[in-house]
Amino acid sequence: MTTPALHGIIAYPVTPFTADGAGIDTDKLAALVDRLVEAGVHAIAPLGSTGESAYLTEPEFDAVVEGTVAAVAKRVPVVVGASDLTTANTVRRARYAQRAGADALMILPVSYWKLTDREIVAHYAAVAAAVDLPIMAYNNPATSGIDMTPELLVRMFTEIDNVTMVKESTGDLTRMLRLAELTGGALPFYNGSNPLVLQALTAGAAGWCTAAPNLRPQPCLDLYGAVRAGDTAAAQSIYDELAPLLHFIVDGGLPTTVKAGLDLLGRGVGDPRPPLLPLDPARCSDLRTLLAAG
């Protein structure tokens, strides 16, 4: 299994909906993705939690996959979030993403019932057997309700050929260090916790999976570049300036806050889909101040 050269800033676009909220605004999606690529991000990852994938119909999911792949036009890798409640539909989404031209998949185990390790492994193995793409195992118990230990993630990396990388979003740096320790650095890990980014990159994370470039792409790129260059002082300075925005978008919910920010920047992509609601006016004022400060 050949893993694409995923590194750096892996940007997570929001999903623009039409004015009536009944479908995907493919033109706005294409424009958003193109801006991210032109800004210099290293990969595009649609249909994670930022992309409201849990709230999409299957035709809408397919439209976002097709629209993103077309807009990227092979300029950078596309990592499609193909997670779903059932194994069968996760397989369907994974196969669709592969046919559409995705370069890799991101899979988050999602379940109403708490899954055992045996069930998690079987879920990933079934998806891996159905496609030829590398899979990023995504650990985010805050959204999925399932927490995968470093030991389980390393087990899947060892036993399932397609599972070649991990996105760790718990905000626990020791988990990333444990992944490296257990595999002698052979398992690439990616930071999915915005406030932890400086520590994670310094500790050897291959990249930063983030929605922040939707609003402030250059500081994200500058931070990654400073860490790679070993410029500790510059990296800390950039992080200190960016941190209030990172905390804000996480605390307020990524789809809600990023869509509000794009609207404030004159690049509106519509509201989030209920049950999510638009950002309230007071918080919009706070966000306007943060964006102006940058």
Side-chain angles (χ1 to χ4, degrees), residues 102-126:
D103 298 287
L105 302 170
M106 182 177 67
I107 304 293
L108 173 79
V110 183
S111 184
Y112 180 86
W113 296 102
K114 181 177 175 60
L115 301 180
T116 65
D117 284 1
R118 183 171 67 96
E119 289 166 331
I120 293 169
V121 171
H123 178 71
Y124 276 93

PDB file of all heavy atoms in Angstrom, residues 102-126:
ATOM      1  N   ALA A 102     -10.450  10.170  -5.204  1.00  0.00           N
ATOM      2  CA  ALA A 102      -9.796  10.533  -3.944  1.00  0.00           C
ATOM      3  C   ALA A 102      -8.449   9.837  -3.829  1.00  0.00           C
ATOM      4  O   ALA A 102      -8.226   8.769  -4.399  1.00  0.00           O
ATOM      5  CB  ALA A 102     -10.688  10.150  -2.770  1.00  0.00           C
ATOM      6  N   ASP A 103      -7.552  10.444  -3.071  1.00  0.00           N
ATOM      7  CA  ASP A 103      -6.212   9.881  -2.874  1.00  0.00           C
ATOM      8  C   ASP A 103      -6.107   9.050  -1.606  1.00  0.00           C
ATOM      9  O   ASP A 103      -5.229   8.192  -1.486  1.00  0.00           O
ATOM     10  CB  ASP A 103      -5.181  11.016  -2.817  1.00  0.00           C
ATOM     11  CG  ASP A 103      -5.137  11.795  -4.119  1.00  0.00           C
ATOM     12  OD1 ASP A 103      -4.608  11.262  -5.107  1.00  0.00           O
ATOM     13  OD2 ASP A 103      -5.654  12.929  -4.137  1.00  0.00           O
ATOM     14  N   ALA A 104      -6.967   9.325  -0.645  1.00  0.00           N
ATOM     15  CA  ALA A 104      -6.950   8.598   0.626  1.00  0.00           C
ATOM     16  C   ALA A 104      -8.306   8.781   1.295  1.00  0.00           C
ATOM     17  O   ALA A 104      -9.111   9.626   0.891  1.00  0.00           O
ATOM     18  CB  ALA A 104      -5.832   9.100   1.536  1.00  0.00           C
ATOM     19  N   LEU A 105      -8.532   7.986   2.329  1.00  0.00           N
ATOM     20  CA  LEU A 105      -9.776   8.049   3.092  1.00  0.00           C
ATOM     21  C   LEU A 105      -9.464   8.356   4.550  1.00  0.00           C
ATOM     22  O   LEU A 105      -8.410   7.986   5.065  1.00  0.00           O
ATOM     23  CB  LEU A 105     -10.527   6.714   3.027  1.00  0.00           C
ATOM     24  CG  LEU A 105     -10.910   6.204   1.647  1.00  0.00           C
ATOM     25  CD1 LEU A 105     -11.412   4.773   1.743  1.00  0.00           C
ATOM     26  CD2 LEU A 105     -11.981   7.104   1.019  1.00  0.00           C
ATOM     27  N   MET A 106     -10.401   9.015   5.193  1.00  0.00           N
ATOM     28  CA  MET A 106     -10.343   9.194   6.638  1.00  0.00           C
ATOM     29  C   MET A 106     -11.573   8.508   7.226  1.00  0.00           C
ATOM     30  O   MET A 106     -12.700   8.806   6.818  1.00  0.00           O
ATOM     31  CB  MET A 106     -10.330  10.676   7.006  1.00  0.00           C
ATOM     32  CG  MET A 106     -10.229  10.931   8.491  1.00  0.00           C
ATOM     33  SD  MET A 106     -10.142  12.697   8.884  1.00  0.00           S
ATOM     34  CE  MET A 106     -11.787  13.242   8.395  1.00  0.00           C
ATOM     35  N   ILE A 107     -11.351   7.583   8.159  1.00  0.00           N
ATOM     36  CA  ILE A 107     -12.454   6.803   8.710  1.00  0.00           C
ATOM     37  C   ILE A 107     -12.523   6.997  10.215  1.00  0.00           C
ATOM     38  O   ILE A 107     -11.543   6.757  10.942  1.00  0.00           O
ATOM     39  CB  ILE A 107     -12.304   5.300   8.395  1.00  0.00           C
ATOM     40  CG1 ILE A 107     -12.168   5.073   6.887  1.00  0.00           C
ATOM     41  CG2 ILE A 107     -13.472   4.515   8.979  1.00  0.00           C
ATOM     42  CD1 ILE A 107     -13.400   5.391   6.087  1.00  0.00           C
ATOM     43  N   LEU A 108     -13.689   7.409  10.666  1.00  0.00           N
ATOM     44  CA  LEU A 108     -13.984   7.583  12.080  1.00  0.00           C
ATOM     45  C   LEU A 108     -15.035   6.545  12.464  1.00  0.00           C
ATOM     46  O   LEU A 108     -16.102   6.495  11.843  1.00  0.00           O
ATOM     47  CB  LEU A 108     -14.539   8.995  12.314  1.00  0.00           C
ATOM     48  CG  LEU A 108     -15.074   9.349  13.691  1.00  0.00           C
ATOM     49  CD1 LEU A 108     -13.918   9.667  14.632  1.00  0.00           C
ATOM     50  CD2 LEU A 108     -16.008  10.556  13.596  1.00  0.00           C
ATOM     51  N   PRO A 109     -14.782   5.690  13.444  1.00  0.00           N
ATOM     52  CA  PRO A 109     -15.820   4.746  13.847  1.00  0.00           C
ATOM     53  C   PRO A 109     -16.949   5.481  14.561  1.00  0.00           C
ATOM     54  O   PRO A 109     -16.707   6.226  15.507  1.00  0.00           O
ATOM     55  CB  PRO A 109     -15.083   3.794  14.796  1.00  0.00           C
ATOM     56  CG  PRO A 109     -13.950   4.584  15.338  1.00  0.00           C
ATOM     57  CD  PRO A 109     -13.562   5.563  14.268  1.00  0.00           C
ATOM     58  N   VAL A 110     -18.148   5.313  14.075  1.00  0.00           N
ATOM     59  CA  VAL A 110     -19.308   6.002  14.635  1.00  0.00           C
ATOM     60  C   VAL A 110     -20.332   4.947  15.029  1.00  0.00           C
ATOM     61  O   VAL A 110     -20.651   4.068  14.230  1.00  0.00           O
ATOM     62  CB  VAL A 110     -19.947   6.964  13.615  1.00  0.00           C
ATOM     63  CG1 VAL A 110     -21.106   7.721  14.250  1.00  0.00           C
ATOM     64  CG2 VAL A 110     -18.915   7.937  13.062  1.00  0.00           C
ATOM     65  N   SER A 111     -20.867   5.024  16.230  1.00  0.00           N
ATOM     66  CA  SER A 111     -21.853   4.027  16.618  1.00  0.00           C
ATOM     67  C   SER A 111     -22.742   4.545  17.727  1.00  0.00           C
ATOM     68  O   SER A 111     -22.280   5.255  18.620  1.00  0.00           O
ATOM     69  CB  SER A 111     -21.178   2.738  17.070  1.00  0.00           C
ATOM     70  OG  SER A 111     -22.131   1.748  17.360  1.00  0.00           O
ATOM     71  N   TYR A 112     -24.006   4.178  17.669  1.00  0.00           N
ATOM     72  CA  TYR A 112     -24.926   4.457  18.787  1.00  0.00           C
ATOM     73  C   TYR A 112     -24.500   3.634  19.994  1.00  0.00           C
ATOM     74  O   TYR A 112     -24.510   4.105  21.115  1.00  0.00           O
ATOM     75  CB  TYR A 112     -26.356   4.106  18.369  1.00  0.00           C
ATOM     76  CG  TYR A 112     -27.387   4.356  19.438  1.00  0.00           C
ATOM     77  CD1 TYR A 112     -27.960   5.613  19.588  1.00  0.00           C
ATOM     78  CD2 TYR A 112     -27.775   3.337  20.303  1.00  0.00           C
ATOM     79  CE1 TYR A 112     -28.904   5.846  20.570  1.00  0.00           C
ATOM     80  CE2 TYR A 112     -28.707   3.559  21.290  1.00  0.00           C
ATOM     81  CZ  TYR A 112     -29.277   4.811  21.420  1.00  0.00           C
ATOM     82  OH  TYR A 112     -30.211   5.032  22.403  1.00  0.00           O
ATOM     83  N   TRP A 113     -24.121   2.382  19.731  1.00  0.00           N
ATOM     84  CA  TRP A 113     -23.632   1.499  20.781  1.00  0.00           C
ATOM     85  C   TRP A 113     -22.115   1.627  20.888  1.00  0.00           C
ATOM     86  O   TRP A 113     -21.438   1.824  19.895  1.00  0.00           O
ATOM     87  CB  TRP A 113     -23.996   0.040  20.479  1.00  0.00           C
ATOM     88  CG  TRP A 113     -25.473  -0.206  20.479  1.00  0.00           C
ATOM     89  CD1 TRP A 113     -26.285  -0.344  19.391  1.00  0.00           C
ATOM     90  CD2 TRP A 113     -26.321  -0.323  21.619  1.00  0.00           C
ATOM     91  NE1 TRP A 113     -27.578  -0.537  19.772  1.00  0.00           N
ATOM     92  CE2 TRP A 113     -27.641  -0.521  21.150  1.00  0.00           C
ATOM     93  CE3 TRP A 113     -26.106  -0.270  23.007  1.00  0.00           C
ATOM     94  CZ2 TRP A 113     -28.723  -0.673  21.998  1.00  0.00           C
ATOM     95  CZ3 TRP A 113     -27.197  -0.417  23.848  1.00  0.00           C
ATOM     96  CH2 TRP A 113     -28.473  -0.624  23.351  1.00  0.00           C
ATOM     97  N   LYS A 114     -21.614   1.483  22.096  1.00  0.00           N
ATOM     98  CA  LYS A 114     -20.164   1.504  22.294  1.00  0.00           C
ATOM     99  C   LYS A 114     -19.573   0.256  21.642  1.00  0.00           C
ATOM    100  O   LYS A 114     -20.009  -0.861  21.922  1.00  0.00           O
ATOM    101  CB  LYS A 114     -19.835   1.534  23.779  1.00  0.00           C
ATOM    102  CG  LYS A 114     -18.339   1.570  24.072  1.00  0.00           C
ATOM    103  CD  LYS A 114     -18.084   1.665  25.562  1.00  0.00           C
ATOM    104  CE  LYS A 114     -16.606   1.581  25.889  1.00  0.00           C
ATOM    105  NZ  LYS A 114     -15.834   2.666  25.259  1.00  0.00           N
ATOM    106  N   LEU A 115     -18.617   0.452  20.765  1.00  0.00           N
ATOM    107  CA  LEU A 115     -18.010  -0.663  20.047  1.00  0.00           C
ATOM    108  C   LEU A 115     -16.844  -1.254  20.838  1.00  0.00           C
ATOM    109  O   LEU A 115     -16.074  -0.528  21.463  1.00  0.00           O
ATOM    110  CB  LEU A 115     -17.514  -0.215  18.677  1.00  0.00           C
ATOM    111  CG  LEU A 115     -18.547   0.366  17.714  1.00  0.00           C
ATOM    112  CD1 LEU A 115     -17.879   0.752  16.407  1.00  0.00           C
ATOM    113  CD2 LEU A 115     -19.676  -0.625  17.466  1.00  0.00           C
ATOM    114  N   THR A 116     -16.715  -2.560  20.769  1.00  0.00           N
ATOM    115  CA  THR A 116     -15.555  -3.226  21.356  1.00  0.00           C
ATOM    116  C   THR A 116     -14.373  -3.099  20.395  1.00  0.00           C
ATOM    117  O   THR A 116     -14.533  -2.788  19.213  1.00  0.00           O
ATOM    118  CB  THR A 116     -15.834  -4.709  21.593  1.00  0.00           C
ATOM    119  OG1 THR A 116     -16.029  -5.354  20.321  1.00  0.00           O
ATOM    120  CG2 THR A 116     -17.069  -4.902  22.464  1.00  0.00           C
ATOM    121  N   ASP A 117     -13.184  -3.367  20.890  1.00  0.00           N
ATOM    122  CA  ASP A 117     -12.017  -3.345  20.014  1.00  0.00           C
ATOM    123  C   ASP A 117     -12.196  -4.330  18.862  1.00  0.00           C
ATOM    124  O   ASP A 117     -11.811  -4.043  17.720  1.00  0.00           O
ATOM    125  CB  ASP A 117     -10.752  -3.707  20.803  1.00  0.00           C
ATOM    126  CG  ASP A 117     -10.259  -2.566  21.682  1.00  0.00           C
ATOM    127  OD1 ASP A 117     -10.914  -1.500  21.696  1.00  0.00           O
ATOM    128  OD2 ASP A 117      -9.232  -2.740  22.359  1.00  0.00           O
ATOM    129  N   ARG A 118     -12.753  -5.490  19.137  1.00  0.00           N
ATOM    130  CA  ARG A 118     -12.974  -6.495  18.088  1.00  0.00           C
ATOM    131  C   ARG A 118     -13.886  -5.944  17.000  1.00  0.00           C
ATOM    132  O   ARG A 118     -13.645  -6.149  15.800  1.00  0.00           O
ATOM    133  CB  ARG A 118     -13.584  -7.755  18.702  1.00  0.00           C
ATOM    134  CG  ARG A 118     -13.801  -8.898  17.712  1.00  0.00           C
ATOM    135  CD  ARG A 118     -14.199 -10.171  18.445  1.00  0.00           C
ATOM    136  NE  ARG A 118     -15.505 -10.064  19.053  1.00  0.00           N
ATOM    137  CZ  ARG A 118     -16.638 -10.508  18.466  1.00  0.00           C
ATOM    138  NH1 ARG A 118     -16.588 -11.071  17.272  1.00  0.00           N
ATOM    139  NH2 ARG A 118     -17.794 -10.379  19.080  1.00  0.00           N
ATOM    140  N   GLU A 119     -14.916  -5.213  17.391  1.00  0.00           N
ATOM    141  CA  GLU A 119     -15.847  -4.645  16.410  1.00  0.00           C
ATOM    142  C   GLU A 119     -15.199  -3.512  15.623  1.00  0.00           C
ATOM    143  O   GLU A 119     -15.429  -3.371  14.415  1.00  0.00           O
ATOM    144  CB  GLU A 119     -17.111  -4.167  17.130  1.00  0.00           C
ATOM    145  CG  GLU A 119     -17.962  -5.321  17.637  1.00  0.00           C
ATOM    146  CD  GLU A 119     -19.027  -4.901  18.631  1.00  0.00           C
ATOM    147  OE1 GLU A 119     -18.818  -3.888  19.349  1.00  0.00           O
ATOM    148  OE2 GLU A 119     -20.067  -5.592  18.715  1.00  0.00           O
ATOM    149  N   ILE A 120     -14.376  -2.708  16.284  1.00  0.00           N
ATOM    150  CA  ILE A 120     -13.684  -1.622  15.586  1.00  0.00           C
ATOM    151  C   ILE A 120     -12.731  -2.187  14.538  1.00  0.00           C
ATOM    152  O   ILE A 120     -12.698  -1.722  13.393  1.00  0.00           O
ATOM    153  CB  ILE A 120     -12.930  -0.735  16.597  1.00  0.00           C
ATOM    154  CG1 ILE A 120     -13.928   0.016  17.489  1.00  0.00           C
ATOM    155  CG2 ILE A 120     -12.027   0.254  15.868  1.00  0.00           C
ATOM    156  CD1 ILE A 120     -13.276   0.707  18.672  1.00  0.00           C
ATOM    157  N   VAL A 121     -11.964  -3.185  14.916  1.00  0.00           N
ATOM    158  CA  VAL A 121     -11.029  -3.794  13.968  1.00  0.00           C
ATOM    159  C   VAL A 121     -11.782  -4.389  12.788  1.00  0.00           C
ATOM    160  O   VAL A 121     -11.377  -4.223  11.620  1.00  0.00           O
ATOM    161  CB  VAL A 121     -10.176  -4.872  14.666  1.00  0.00           C
ATOM    162  CG1 VAL A 121      -9.353  -5.656  13.638  1.00  0.00           C
ATOM    163  CG2 VAL A 121      -9.252  -4.237  15.702  1.00  0.00           C
ATOM    164  N   ALA A 122     -12.895  -5.066  13.048  1.00  0.00           N
ATOM    165  CA  ALA A 122     -13.677  -5.669  11.965  1.00  0.00           C
ATOM    166  C   ALA A 122     -14.237  -4.603  11.038  1.00  0.00           C
ATOM    167  O   ALA A 122     -14.293  -4.787   9.809  1.00  0.00           O
ATOM    168  CB  ALA A 122     -14.805  -6.523  12.546  1.00  0.00           C
ATOM    169  N   HIS A 123     -14.637  -3.478  11.594  1.00  0.00           N
ATOM    170  CA  HIS A 123     -15.171  -2.364  10.799  1.00  0.00           C
ATOM    171  C   HIS A 123     -14.102  -1.833   9.845  1.00  0.00           C
ATOM    172  O   HIS A 123     -14.331  -1.718   8.633  1.00  0.00           O
ATOM    173  CB  HIS A 123     -15.639  -1.258  11.746  1.00  0.00           C
ATOM    174  CG  HIS A 123     -16.158  -0.032  11.071  1.00  0.00           C
ATOM    175  ND1 HIS A 123     -17.356   0.011  10.396  1.00  0.00           N
ATOM    176  CD2 HIS A 123     -15.627   1.222  10.973  1.00  0.00           C
ATOM    177  CE1 HIS A 123     -17.559   1.227   9.916  1.00  0.00           C
ATOM    178  NE2 HIS A 123     -16.516   1.981  10.252  1.00  0.00           N
ATOM    179  N   TYR A 124     -12.927  -1.538  10.365  1.00  0.00           N
ATOM    180  CA  TYR A 124     -11.850  -1.028   9.520  1.00  0.00           C
ATOM    181  C   TYR A 124     -11.404  -2.072   8.496  1.00  0.00           C
ATOM    182  O   TYR A 124     -11.120  -1.745   7.337  1.00  0.00           O
ATOM    183  CB  TYR A 124     -10.662  -0.591  10.375  1.00  0.00           C
ATOM    184  CG  TYR A 124     -10.786   0.809  10.915  1.00  0.00           C
ATOM    185  CD1 TYR A 124     -11.341   1.050  12.167  1.00  0.00           C
ATOM    186  CD2 TYR A 124     -10.357   1.907  10.181  1.00  0.00           C
ATOM    187  CE1 TYR A 124     -11.464   2.331  12.675  1.00  0.00           C
ATOM    188  CE2 TYR A 124     -10.466   3.194  10.671  1.00  0.00           C
ATOM    189  CZ  TYR A 124     -11.028   3.404  11.924  1.00  0.00           C
ATOM    190  OH  TYR A 124     -11.153   4.679  12.401  1.00  0.00           O
ATOM    191  N   ALA A 125     -11.352  -3.322   8.918  1.00  0.00           N
ATOM    192  CA  ALA A 125     -10.923  -4.377   8.001  1.00  0.00           C
ATOM    193  C   ALA A 125     -11.895  -4.523   6.839  1.00  0.00           C
ATOM    194  O   ALA A 125     -11.475  -4.741   5.688  1.00  0.00           O
ATOM    195  CB  ALA A 125     -10.785  -5.704   8.749  1.00  0.00           C
ATOM    196  N   ALA A 126     -13.188  -4.378   7.103  1.00  0.00           N
ATOM    197  CA  ALA A 126     -14.188  -4.488   6.042  1.00  0.00           C
ATOM    198  C   ALA A 126     -14.060  -3.347   5.046  1.00  0.00           C
ATOM    199  O   ALA A 126     -14.143  -3.555   3.830  1.00  0.00           O
ATOM    200  CB  ALA A 126     -15.595  -4.513   6.650  1.00  0.00           C
TER     201      ALA A 126
END
